[in-house]
Amino acid sequence: MSWTGVPLPTDPVERIRCLRVLREAYRRQVKPELRETYRKVSGRTYGPYYVAYFKRTRRFKHPRLIYLGKSGPSVEFVEWLAERPEGKVLELARLAVRHLRSALERIVREAPGTEDVRRLVARLLALAFDLEPAGSTRIKRLLERAPRFTRVVLGPWEAWFAENVLRKLLYRRSRDGRHWVPDVQLELERWRLRHGK
């Protein structure tokens, strides 16, 4: 099993969204559906916004939504997944979890000596698909030992929480702690990833 022919995005934020969708498919053992959602603010309706929808099962009593944004590579990826046979999707999900375990092992190993854990986590999770997959698929203990930011990105994430998580991925706090300012270094890394530098 490999990623050949799978439409994986090059944008790091979109890649992390795809990783979260595949991890949830692995956890629930069902493939996602693509759905539209709308938001009402002060009587005005905004949207459509797309989500990966996971139906309820015997083991999971509640459905789950993973926010994907307005439109983009992660929306196209989930649309592609929805058209594939369930067996193929679950194989990809197993492979993604093995790759995720490799990324988490590196985060746990490298994070204690790194000043900006957030940037390291974002970069390694985005590159997870390119790493050599780990032999085991058990990730629970690794997730517990990984930095809190990793657990926020990979944990439950409702549609309205998307802005908060994306802000943490793309921005950093200003010196006075009152504002979020663009993370120039992370933008450079995104550019390098896009252009294969």
Side-chain angles (χ1 to χ4, degrees):
M1 191 71 201
S2 72
W3 298 111
T4 311
V6 179
L8 287 172
T10 52
D11 184 281
V13 175
E14 299 282 352
R15 277 188 157 217
I16 291 170
R17 285 175 173 173
C18 294
L19 191 63
R20 295 182 67 249
V21 168
L22 287 170
R23 178 177 172 261
E24 192 63 20
Y26 176 81
R27 201 166 76 93
R28 289 179 176 251
Q29 291 297 295
V30 291
K31 70 176 186 178
E33 298 170 29
L34 187 67
R35 292 204 176 174
E36 289 182 1
T37 61
Y38 295 85
R39 295 180 192 171
K40 260 197 166 177
V41 180
S42 305
R44 293 184 66 186
T45 305
Y46 297 91
Y49 299 96
Y50 292 94
V51 294
Y53 174 81
F54 291 90
K55 62 187 178 187
R56 71 186 82 210
T57 61
R58 280 185 184 174
R59 189 171 161 214
F60 296 92
K61 302 296 180 195
H62 301 286
R64 171 85 194 275
L65 302 178
I66 295 181
Y67 179 80
L68 301 171
K70 280 205 164 182
S71 65
S74 59
V75 174
E76 289 162 21
F77 175 75
V78 173
E79 197 170 34
W80 182 86
L81 279 183
E83 291 168 1
R84 304 274 85 75
E86 193 155 72
K88 166 89 170 166
V89 173
L90 297 181
E91 272 184 61
L92 284 174
R94 273 193 295 276
L95 183 61
V97 168
R98 288 179 63 200
H99 277 261
L100 173 60
R101 188 172 189 276
S102 295
L104 290 175
E105 280 173 348
R106 281 184 60 177
I107 290 166
V108 169
R109 202 167 52 240
E110 295 175 26
T114 310
E115 281 181 33
D116 197 341
V117 175
R118 184 174 50 81
R119 190 176 293 131
L120 171 76
V121 169
R123 185 165 176 77
L124 281 176
L125 288 180
L127 292 173
F129 295 115
D130 304 325
L131 298 173
E132 201 63 39
S136 168
T137 55
R138 284 180 291 182
I139 60 169
K140 191 175 178 187
R141 282 187 189 162
L142 275 168
L143 267 173
E144 285 166 1
R145 285 169 52 213
R148 183 179 174 277
F149 179 69
T150 318
R151 299 197 297 272
V152 169
V153 171
L154 292 172
W157 184 15
E158 301 293 347
W160 56 84
F161 193 52
E163 192 183 334
N164 187 26
V165 176
L166 280 175
R167 192 187 295 143
K168 287 180 182 178
L169 277 172
L170 300 174
Y171 295 82
R172 61 180 172 75
R173 282 279 189 190
S174 59
R175 284 187 182 171
D176 60 9
R178 288 191 220 163
H179 309 286
W180 289 93
V181 294
D183 191 330
V184 177
Q185 198 61 39
L186 187 57
E187 286 299 317
L188 280 171
E189 284 171 14
R190 289 176 74 189
W191 184 88
R192 285 192 195 109
L193 273 171
R194 274 198 211 103
H195 295 83
K197 300 282 183 187

